[in-house]
Amino acid sequence: MKIVTVVGARPQFIKAAAGSRQLRKEHQEVLVHTGQHFDDNMSEVFFREMGIPKPDYNLGVSGGSHAQMTAKMLTGMEEILKTENPKALLVYGDTNSTLAAALAAVKLHIPVIHVEAGNRLGTLDSPEEVNRIITDHIAVLNFCATEDALEKLKGEGLGNRSYCVGNIMYDSFLHFADLPWENCNILDFDGTRIQAPREYYYMTCHRQENTYSDQPLTEILLAMNSLDAPTIYAVHPRNQERARRICEKETFQNIILAQPVGYSDSVHLTKNAKKIVTDSGGLQCEAFYAGVQCVFVLDYVVWPETMVGNRNQLAKADHKDILKKLSRTQSIDENYQPFGDGHSAEKICQIIRKWERKEL
Ligand code: UDP
């Protein structure tokens, strides 16, 4: 059957890499890029490196307020869906691209399939939470990454159309973690190649809560600067100016500022890091898969499954709290695998097949 898949932001490309590969074995997929992330190192590099098919459409929508972005995507998606008239729409995660595409489809009576459904933070202050809740409730099929997410959906009355299939990002992680790390391409802001030190901490930090002013990011970098090895900080494009300014002002010499890296580099930087500090939902899971301890700088838990044995700990954007959490040791129970077996895309396709045949 014809399925329109919509992606727009970095973590969605990583999920689509595994999803599209499997989906195209039995369906005709039309891929739409909303344009939410557009820099080469936030978008193109993932398509090139991960073998994601070239998008059939690019809406070119980025920037503006949440409402402006969502509205432009909504009207853009309506046109595409009318032209393509697919049997289903598939969306990943919780961005404005997810919400806009799902809304456009449901209004045209096109069934929505939501991958990475059911995650809940318990606060509508998070724009992603709003996107997730709405998308889950208008989808005909919800695919959850964990049992916990499935339980949340059961609690919201969506149990009869929700399935736990494991985390599709784990599929991509396993695939890339097994490949040799040959073409490492870490660049500083001026485009000069950086050699990763033998020992380092790996950091990403881009959420509004930590980057809306200099204060929280300065606290985080203050902690990282005082560690026993340098920190490689892969900086989201919108925070580069702030990160550079803080590091110069505070003369932080133990921080290596880098442009965003490709997926293979991110996976291997994760695997080989001493520890990880991040506010990224995806990276904290990858740290968990790799068995590398993580400190998650935010006020709320995003992946409760990772919060065991000090493997992932919440910290405030406060240098003392971050250092305290980093000083702890983790314990790993090898039998604990809450994110599935790395075959999530296959399970999703099996269930879609049954749904198409009305066998569910
Ligand atoms: N990532 C990457 N390059 C980087 C930083 C992160 O490929 O420079 C990957 C990371 O490995 C993870 C994903 O991007 O798979 C996380 O995306 P992001 O932090 O943008 O979104 P979130 O996880 O917060 O939704």
Side-chain angles (χ1 to χ4, degrees):
M1 71 180 166
K2 189 196 264 190
I3 298 179
V4 168
T5 296
V6 181
V7 293
R10 176 166 65 184
Q12 291 168 329
F13 309 142
I14 296 164
K15 289 162 199 158
S20 289
R21 199 180 311 126
Q22 191 64 34
L23 211 60
R24 287 179 186 229
K25 289 183 182 166
E26 49 189 301
H27 300 291
Q28 180 197 353
E29 185 186 46
V30 175
L31 190 61
V32 180
H33 189 326
T34 61
Q36 194 172 339
H37 282 168
F38 53 88
D39 304 77
D40 184 83
N41 56 24
M42 292 295 287
S43 173
E44 267 300 306
V45 67
F46 296 93
F47 285 80
R48 279 198 304 275
E49 188 190 315
M50 303 184 81
I52 308 168
K54 197 173 150 31
D56 299 283
Y57 296 88
N58 192 322
L59 291 176
V61 179
S62 69
S65 68
H66 282 274
Q68 286 165 342
M69 199 195 282
T70 311
K72 283 185 197 156
M73 289 173 181
L74 187 59
T75 49
M77 277 312 303
E78 184 180 52
E79 287 311 308
I80 293 172
L81 291 172
K82 277 184 181 162
T83 308
E84 294 291 342
N85 193 24
K87 285 276 180 294
L89 171 103
L90 188 145
V91 283
Y92 296 99
D94 53 21
T95 66
N96 289 336
S97 303
T98 312
L99 174 67
L103 267 181
V106 76
K107 297 274 182 186
L108 293 170
H109 308 294
I110 295 168
V112 174
I113 300 170
H114 187 204
V115 178
E116 203 183 88
N119 295 9
R120 295 289 182 269
L121 307 180
T123 168
L124 292 178
D125 287 345
S126 155
E128 290 88 5
E129 181 95 338
V130 177
N131 295 344
R132 273 191 297 267
I133 292 174
I134 297 172
T135 308
D136 291 344
H137 280 258
I138 59 183
V140 297
L141 285 177
N142 281 310
F143 292 114
C144 303
T146 64
E147 289 294 340
D148 179 71
L150 178 61
E151 287 308 312
K152 297 263 168 45
L153 292 188
K154 285 181 182 167
E156 294 175 24
L158 304 180
N160 62 348
R161 43 189 159 125
S162 303
Y163 301 85
C164 180
V165 292
N167 194 343
I168 195 163
M169 277 190 110
Y170 191 32
D171 297 20
S172 287
F173 178 85
L174 288 178
H175 182 77
F176 279 82
D178 280 348
L179 298 180
W181 193 24
E182 280 164 349
N183 300 314
C184 169
N185 195 28
I186 310 171
L187 304 176
D188 71 14
F189 292 172
D190 301 319
T192 307
R193 195 176 283 244
I194 298 168
Q195 188 67 40
R198 205 173 53 81
E199 294 216 311
Y200 61 87
Y201 295 84
Y202 180 35
M203 162 174 166
T204 73
C205 178
H206 66 275
R207 284 193 195 243
Q208 185 65 12
E209 292 92 323
N210 291 324
T211 56
Y212 71 96
S213 80
D214 282 6
Q215 200 268 334
L217 190 57
T218 304
E219 280 291 321
I220 298 167
L221 290 171
L222 181 61
M224 304 314 286
N225 192 57
S226 69
L227 294 170
D228 57 345
T231 291
I232 299 176
Y233 174 17
V235 189
H236 193 289
R238 69 169 178 262
N239 299 320
Q240 286 183 3
E241 196 275 322
R242 189 183 299 283
R244 194 202 295 259
R245 181 160 38 76
I246 293 171
C247 285
E248 280 171 7
K249 182 165 157 249
E250 306 288 338
T251 56
F252 289 150
Q253 311 233 323
N254 212 16
I255 310 282
I256 300 170
L257 294 178
Q259 296 185 30
V261 296
Y263 186 66
S264 178
D265 285 333
S266 187
V267 165
H268 287 92
L269 282 172
T270 301
K271 275 177 66 179
N272 295 302
K274 280 175 79 103
K275 295 191 180 187
I276 291 185
V277 172
T278 189
D279 59 6
S280 155
L283 189 60
Q284 65 181 285
C285 287
E286 286 159 359
F288 184 90
Y289 308 148
V292 176
Q293 194 179 13
C294 181
V295 171
F296 182 53
V297 187
L298 213 65
D299 284 340
Y300 38 81
V301 171
V302 171
W303 289 99
E305 300 77 11
T306 62
M307 299 292 187
V308 291
N310 288 338
R311 293 181 67 172
N312 190 16
Q313 302 167 82
L314 272 193
K316 296 192 180 0
D318 165 76
H319 74 277
K320 288 199 192 114
D321 196 34
I322 295 168
L323 290 174
K324 184 170 93 186
K325 305 288 163 62
L326 279 172
S327 72
R328 294 178 178 160
T329 48
Q330 65 170 344
S331 62
I332 298 180
D333 172 0
E334 299 290 350
N335 296 320
Y336 176 63
Q337 299 288 356
F339 293 105
D341 58 5
H343 293 280
S344 166
E346 284 163 52
K347 293 184 184 123
I348 289 169
C349 284
Q350 279 165 11
I351 296 169
I352 291 177
R353 201 181 307 136
K354 284 191 180 164
W355 170 79
E356 185 190 2
R357 294 178 187 156
K358 301 192 173 27
E359 288 170 6
L360 285 181

